[in-house]
Amino acid sequence: MAEIIASLGRINISRQVRSAPDWSIVDTPEAVSHLVDIICLELVNRQTTSDVPQVPALYIDIQTNDDSSNQGHGSQCACISLLQIYLLPREHIYLVDVQTLGRQGAFETSGPTHGQSLQSLLESETISKVFFDVRTDAEILYHRYGVSLGGVQDLQLMELAARAVSPRSLRHLNSLPRCINRDLNLSILEQITWDKWITLQRKRSQVEMANRELRRLNGLLFSSLSQAGERQHKQEMEVEGAGYQLLRMEKGMDISARPLTKGSETMELIGLVVLNVRYLPGLWEEYERRSRPDASHWQDGNETCGNREEGWRKRVEQGTRERLESARNGQYGLVSGAVGGKGRGKLMMLAPVGWE
């Protein structure tokens, strides 16, 4: 109760609840093919000759799981459970069940009308796609599924650039929860639901971090047995399932549970998962507005405001390209198993070099 009362102080009680977008599961090649054609149709309909920046149509996030059943001791395999695609023109969130479809079914299935696939759409440099902190998503997509992202707008860097004209510090990046809580005026119901999702994510993250450490310890255990020449003992332990046992997710917390059937606990969880992309369009519009020369914080009588704005736009574009290149090089350590999870450690929350 105290947490709910405290949250009321952060929100506008008179604020009306936003119309929640519909969402649906895409878990068959036929459904993927249909989705690709829907996206292509909407993109064609949005083509314009206007010089005014158009609100992007695609907002994307991925939900991962630690697939410990397909890995050896001491390694990590971050696999995609769901690919979330918010198609703004249709006000609909499509949840592509990559775990069920696999790489070929999810990313290589083409639409019958336009001949495109999700992979070609994600890789296109001419189709804008909005992510919040693309680093983890880009690394997993590239190294696990062979998808090299292009045409990305990184909201985390857009927010940092929007801060560049204010006295706020530019040393650290902001997380998605912080941006939503601070920059979007959520209603009471929206705030309570969002806080519930954040609490659940923290619990899941704690279990995943504990399991990564347990896998590391198991790796050291079996490695030491092997080095000691106790191969037979090592094999016996593996057969008997000895070593540190991994923690299990509580019911209603495991996004990898299948099948996804109506009324199941996993489906209830997915109702919260969609919040990761639901608020991205609102954040994009907010940071785009703040970066324009006609925004209040640009009104300083300086004729170079337009040049300054353009400079920060280019910095965001360059910063995003550098993030994508680093992800392709595996520099964030997710694939190697060194670290895992979005927002991993203090280093991941430092602003890019030279932005201060």
Side-chain angles (χ1 to χ4, degrees), residues 229-257:
E230 301 180 17
R231 286 188 171 82
Q232 183 176 356
H233 187 199
K234 174 178 177 290
Q235 292 173 356
E236 291 174 355
M237 290 185 68
E238 288 179 333
V239 171
E240 295 172 2
Y244 298 98
Q245 299 302 308
L246 300 183
L247 304 178
R248 292 186 179 274
M249 287 285 184
E250 296 178 13
K251 289 185 177 180
M253 289 175 55
D254 188 3
I255 196 66
S256 65

Side-chain angles (χ1 to χ4, degrees), residues 83-118:
L83 171 70
Q84 305 169 63
I85 302 175
Y86 187 178
L87 185 57
L88 187 61
R90 298 217 172 189
E91 286 288 323
H92 196 99
I93 298 173
Y94 298 91
L95 302 171
V96 182
D97 188 355
V98 178
Q99 181 176 319
T100 297
L101 289 162
R103 177 183 179 277
Q104 184 173 3
F107 298 107
E108 298 182 4
T109 301
S110 60
T113 304
H114 300 275
Q116 299 287 331
S117 65
L118 282 182

Side-chain angles (χ1 to χ4, degrees), residues 169-235:
S169 170
L170 294 179
R171 294 181 59 188
H172 296 94
L173 299 165
N174 280 335
S175 64
L176 179 59
R178 179 175 175 82
C179 290
I180 288 177
N181 287 332
R182 190 191 64 184
D183 297 328
L184 292 183
N185 195 11
L186 300 183
S187 70
I188 294 177
L189 180 58
E190 287 173 327
Q191 187 69 60
I192 292 174
T193 305
W194 174 250
D195 288 345
K196 178 181 179 182
W197 170 232
I198 294 303
T199 300
L200 188 60
Q201 285 191 97
R202 289 196 185 107
K203 290 181 179 179
R204 293 181 66 240
S205 178
Q206 289 170 357
V207 173
E208 290 169 356
M209 289 178 63
N211 281 340
R212 281 193 291 273
E213 179 62 15
L214 291 173
R215 293 189 191 104
R216 186 186 71 82
L217 294 174
N218 278 336
L220 294 175
L221 172 63
F222 289 112
S223 176
S224 62
L225 288 173
S226 178
Q227 292 175 3
E230 301 180 17
R231 286 188 171 82
Q232 183 176 356
H233 187 199
K234 174 178 177 290
Q235 292 173 356

Side-chain angles (χ1 to χ4, degrees), residues 127-145:
I127 300 174
S128 294
K129 296 162 284 285
V130 178
F131 289 74
F132 189 97
D133 188 0
V134 73
R135 293 173 291 182
T136 298
D137 296 356
E139 187 165 326
I140 295 175
L141 282 167
Y142 182 76
H143 290 276
R144 296 300 186 200
Y145 301 93

Side-chain angles (χ1 to χ4, degrees), residues 152-171:
V152 172
Q153 296 186 36
D154 195 321
L155 266 177
Q156 190 177 51
L157 296 181
M158 287 180 64
E159 188 278 332
L160 185 64
R163 267 189 279 155
V165 294
S166 71
R168 295 172 182 169
S169 170
L170 294 179
R171 294 181 59 188

